[in-house]
Amino acid sequence: MQTSDIQVINTVTPKGDGEKFTINFTTQTDDFSIGSGRILLTASEMAEVTEFNKAETILNKLKEVIK
């Protein structure tokens, strides 16, 4: 999977007592698709994220949790 396979839908800021940001996305490759994906990031992780590297952030987070 590559960053070009990921489409960011939106980013949601924490609500109430919540501390995690949510990035919603979809992805499709020749082998599989995710119709509605979501990653959660802390404020410190989100501080590193820009509009231009959200897909890379998603890919890196997926690699981190799927080993």
Side-chain angles (χ1 to χ4, degrees):
M1 185 162 69
Q2 303 173 27
T3 56
S4 60
D5 299 323
I6 298 170
Q7 179 183 358
V8 175
I9 298 169
N10 64 0
T11 303
V12 181
T13 58
K15 303 271 191 275
D17 291 339
E19 297 181 5
K20 300 235 177 168
F21 290 78
T22 303
I23 300 177
N24 295 299
F25 68 95
T26 64
T27 186
Q28 185 170 352
T29 70
D30 291 339
D31 299 320
F32 72 94
S33 67
I34 298 173
S36 179
R38 171 177 79 180
I39 64 165
L40 302 174
L41 301 172
T42 63
S44 61
E45 290 172 313
M46 197 64 190
E48 308 275 327
V49 178
T50 68
E51 287 299 319
F52 301 105
N53 71 357
K54 280 186 183 178
E56 181 180 357
T57 300
I58 293 166
L59 185 57
N60 289 340
K61 191 68 165 182
L62 289 172
K63 287 178 182 178
E64 180 183 313
V65 297
I66 301 172
K67 294 182 180 184

